[in-house]
Amino acid sequence: MRQILEREIVMTGLRDQPVKARAIGLLAGVLLTVLAGCAAPAGSGWVIYNHRLDAYDPQARNYAASRGGMLLELPNNPFAASDQELGAVIADILYGAPSGQDFPFYTEAEKPYGYTSPYRLVVLLDATPGAKSEIVCRDPGQPVATDPQQMRVLMALCIGDRLMSTASGAVARPDRPRSLPLSNLLRRMAYVIMPHHDPNQDDSRRANWLD
């Protein structure tokens, strides 16, 4: 099990109010990892059970914003909607999520004419528990698995075929793409892996960015 010195677990219940717990230290990190990994969302709840900002730089988000948005890649479609319809819905859900401002996402089919950017957001719906975020940027077509109780989601920010940041989460099984729990999960995941702060800064400089 990966040793994690600091982990933030973000959960919402039926009241859609976020509850954050930050565990510092190996033992607490391991315990929270086990608990979060075993917990399945119930009712309208959702959970983000890990995230990593290994190579993240806020300039990626800033650059994408300057180019008019970011490319969105959806390797798997578990819904009855067409791929085009799903892409339009997820892009609409994610609009503005990283910054709370004008920040659109485009599928390959919908990107503006002449749009170029090395950055893209990969959203793998129905990801398997063993889906590898380290390789999803160079091979988005990872194996998927349908769970009747929940939908696992893996989200990765990529530059070319390299991973910058990633998060994994789960939501009670949605029956349509535009469901409130799934929308809340995807928006929060995008915000978590594209934060304002630079994770490479020391703690004193990061303090102003942390809730």
Side-chain angles (χ1 to χ4, degrees):
M1 182 179 295
R2 180 184 176 88
Q3 293 185 347
I4 299 175
L5 297 181
E6 179 176 354
R7 169 162 293 176
E8 180 183 77
I9 295 176
V10 184
M11 292 180 287
T12 61
L14 298 178
R15 295 176 296 176
D16 290 323
Q17 296 295 322
V19 178
K20 298 181 179 179
R22 189 172 283 112
I24 301 177
L26 175 61
L27 179 59
V30 170
L31 289 174
L32 285 171
T33 301
V34 172
L35 290 173
C38 294
S44 62
W46 53 264
V47 58
I48 295 176
Y49 44 82
N50 67 59
H51 74 279
R52 289 168 35 208
L53 305 173
D54 296 8
Y56 177 73
D57 184 335
Q59 290 304 314
R61 189 194 60 191
N62 298 339
Y63 177 85
S66 74
R67 300 295 298 168
M70 184 175 290
L71 195 64
L72 171 66
E73 189 169 351
L74 297 163
N76 179 50
N77 180 0
F79 297 102
S82 68
D83 291 350
Q84 184 174 1
E85 291 171 333
L86 176 64
V89 169
I90 301 302
D92 185 56
I93 288 171
L94 290 172
Y95 185 94
S99 62
Q101 300 174 353
D102 184 18
F103 194 106
F105 289 86
Y106 310 106
T107 61
E108 184 68 32
E110 299 294 331
K111 69 180 183 181
Y113 177 78
Y115 174 87
T116 58
S117 173
Y119 302 104
R120 74 187 194 282
L121 188 70
V122 179
V123 180
L124 182 61
L125 303 174
D126 272 340
T128 64
K132 303 295 185 182
S133 56
E134 291 80 2
I135 63 175
V136 72
C137 291
R138 66 176 183 267
D139 183 15
Q142 294 296 298
V144 295
T146 301
D147 184 324
Q149 300 301 318
Q150 64 177 345
M151 175 181 285
R152 296 184 182 89
V153 180
L154 187 151
M155 184 179 288
L157 174 63
C158 308
I159 176 170
D161 62 357
R162 292 187 292 114
L163 177 69
M164 297 189 72
S165 58
T166 183
S168 298
V171 63
R173 190 83 202 168
D175 58 359
R176 62 192 186 283
R178 197 181 292 278
S179 68
L180 183 59
L182 179 60
S183 298
N184 289 340
L185 173 64
L186 294 178
R187 288 186 62 82
R188 184 60 182 173
M189 289 178 78
Y191 180 82
V192 163
I193 70 171
M194 287 186 273
H196 292 270
H197 72 268
D198 185 343
N200 296 311
Q201 293 178 352
D202 60 68
D203 290 342
S204 62
R205 295 176 63 193
R206 290 181 56 190
N208 292 334
W209 295 107
L210 298 175
D211 301 322

